[in-house]
Amino acid sequence: MKATSGKRILYVISLCLLSSFLSAQDTIFRVDGTVQPAHIIEITLTVVRYTLPNDPEGPVYTISKRAIERIVREDGSVTEVQQATPSDTPPEPIGTKPSPRNAISLDVPKLFFPAISIGYERYSECGMWGLKIPFEFGRTPMYARHAKNLQTIGIGISIKSYIFTDIWNKFYAGISANIKEATYDYTFFDSNLMKHVEVKGYQTTLYRYGFMVGYQVHFHERWSASLQPEVALRSGIIEESGQRFLRLFMRVELNLIHTF
């Protein structure tokens, strides 16, 4: 009789513990009618994260608020779940997405000479400075009038300061230096021989130093175009006399730019 009474007391204690365990859990009621026992970890603006009651240290599950009708907490309180609207969502912190620090440019008008002028530019971390290495080969406009079989190849360096910049527009100024090797045929009048003489395969080195200003406008997140006038000094050798010359001239670049 005493043994039977002891079993009944143990059974009652077990039921009390089980009911206490079941009550010490949250319950998620889904919009599709299913019920999910859970231990709520976090409720954000868009999702609910929870673990299973029988494995509170186990994996964390995530469910969208759109799939939840309400949550009954372990203390009996009811949480009505609503999906956050875009106006409720805090803005993404500025600067979390790094800005592109590299650019490849193509001087479009030079394609018609024809010549190819491309450049690689590296921006500073703050975006206020740029170092550009241009490379060019093809024809040179200043020699196109009297040169034949012209071939040029050159490389340079430009330092830019981006004075004004926003998301879609940039205004900059800077300095540049360029060296170019030119090979071409030309004809000149020899006063001693009193006739025109043709020189083939003449080679010369041209130097250019300039000051530029430019305006760059973005028409896509990664694509932009810039208009860049430049006042420059060109130094080279006069073919007939072999003397070095220094000329002041103005040049304009229209670049198509891709940043990455």
Side-chain angles (χ1 to χ4, degrees), residues 1 7 14 32 35 40 45 53 61 134 137 158 181 214 240 255:
M1 188 69 179
K7 289 182 178 180
S14 300
D32 61 3
V35 178
I40 303 299
L45 291 173
Y61 299 89
F137 61 92
S158 300
E181 292 289 335
E240 295 86 351
N255 289 300

Side-chain angles (χ1 to χ4, degrees), residues 106-137:
L106 173 67
D107 190 357
V108 178
K110 284 190 177 179
L111 295 174
F112 297 94
F113 284 112
I116 295 179
S117 178
I118 58 177
Y120 167 76
E121 184 170 357
R122 174 71 172 180
Y123 302 111
S124 64
E125 187 172 357
C126 64
M128 299 300 295
W129 296 91
L131 179 65
K132 181 178 179 180
I133 306 296
F135 176 77
E136 178 183 336
F137 61 92

Side-chain angles (χ1 to χ4, degrees), residues 107-118 135-154 178 180-186 206 208 234 249 251-252:
D107 190 357
V108 178
K110 284 190 177 179
L111 295 174
F112 297 94
F113 284 112
I116 295 179
S117 178
I118 58 177
F135 176 77
E136 178 183 336
F137 61 92
R139 295 177 63 89
T140 302
M142 67 173 297
Y143 284 101
R145 292 174 296 177
H146 64 282
K148 297 179 180 179
N149 302 321
L150 177 67
Q151 296 180 355
T152 61
I153 184 170
N178 179 279
K180 183 180 297 184
E181 292 289 335
T183 303
Y184 56 93
D185 304 334
Y186 74 97
L206 305 173
R208 188 185 75 232
R234 186 184 296 280
F249 70 103
R251 58 189 297 271
V252 178

Side-chain angles (χ1 to χ4, degrees), residues 6-253:
K7 289 182 178 180
R8 288 180 178 177
I9 293 173
L10 183 60
Y11 179 71
V12 171
I13 292 174
S14 300
L15 286 177
C16 291
L17 291 175
L18 180 60
S19 62
S20 175
F21 171 77
L22 292 176
S23 63
Q25 68 180 22
D26 305 316
T27 304
I28 300 174
F29 291 84
R30 301 172 182 261
V31 293
D32 61 3
T34 58
V35 178
Q36 174 64 60
H39 176 65
I40 303 299
I41 300 296
E42 181 185 16
I43 299 178
T44 70
L45 291 173
T46 56
V47 299
V48 174
R49 296 186 175 91
Y50 67 93
T51 59
L52 299 179
N54 59 352
D55 190 13
E57 301 299 326
V60 177
Y61 299 89
T62 301
I63 181 174
S64 172
K65 279 187 171 182
R66 296 183 183 274
I68 300 175
E69 179 182 344
R70 69 183 185 276
I71 298 174
V72 178
R73 307 306 294 264
E74 59 181 283
D75 59 0
S77 61
V78 178
T79 301
E80 299 291 339
V81 178
Q82 294 182 348
Q83 178 75 16
T85 61
S87 59
D88 297 329
T89 305
E92 181 180 351
I94 297 175
T96 56
K97 184 178 180 180
S99 300
R101 295 187 60 189
N102 304 278
I104 296 293
S105 62
L106 173 67
D107 190 357
V108 178
K110 284 190 177 179
L111 295 174
F112 297 94
F113 284 112
I116 295 179
S117 178
I118 58 177
Y120 167 76
E121 184 170 357
R122 174 71 172 180
Y123 302 111
S124 64
E125 187 172 357
C126 64
M128 299 300 295
W129 296 91
L131 179 65
K132 181 178 179 180
I133 306 296
F135 176 77
E136 178 183 336
F137 61 92
R139 295 177 63 89
T140 302
M142 67 173 297
Y143 284 101
R145 292 174 296 177
H146 64 282
K148 297 179 180 179
N149 302 321
L150 177 67
Q151 296 180 355
T152 61
I153 184 170
I155 193 170
I157 186 171
S158 300
I159 301 175
K160 299 180 181 179
S161 173
Y162 288 89
I163 303 171
F164 167 79
T165 178
D166 60 21
I167 297 177
W168 296 104
N169 304 275
K170 293 180 180 180
F171 178 77
Y172 61 88
I175 56 176
S176 68
N178 179 279
I179 182 172
K180 183 180 297 184
E181 292 289 335
T183 303
Y184 56 93
D185 304 334
Y186 74 97
T187 302
F188 72 99
F189 183 77
D190 191 327
S191 58
N192 295 324
L193 300 177
M194 297 301 294
K195 66 177 182 178
H196 287 87
V197 177
E198 184 178 11
V199 178
K200 292 184 176 293
Y202 180 80
Q203 295 182 343
T204 185
T205 302
L206 305 173
Y207 302 90
R208 188 185 75 232
Y209 313 94
F211 171 77
M212 73 186 77
V213 293
Y215 178 72
Q216 181 176 340
V217 58
H218 284 258
F219 53 85
H220 185 269
E221 182 181 2
R222 299 288 184 177
W223 290 93
S224 60
S226 69
L227 181 65
Q228 177 183 298
E230 179 178 354
V231 177
L233 285 172
R234 186 184 296 280
S235 174
I237 301 296
I238 300 176
E239 298 95 332
E240 295 86 351
S241 63
Q243 296 179 348
R244 182 168 295 277
F245 68 87
L246 188 66
R247 297 173 182 168
L248 179 67
F249 70 103
M250 185 172 180
R251 58 189 297 271
V252 178
E253 290 186 8

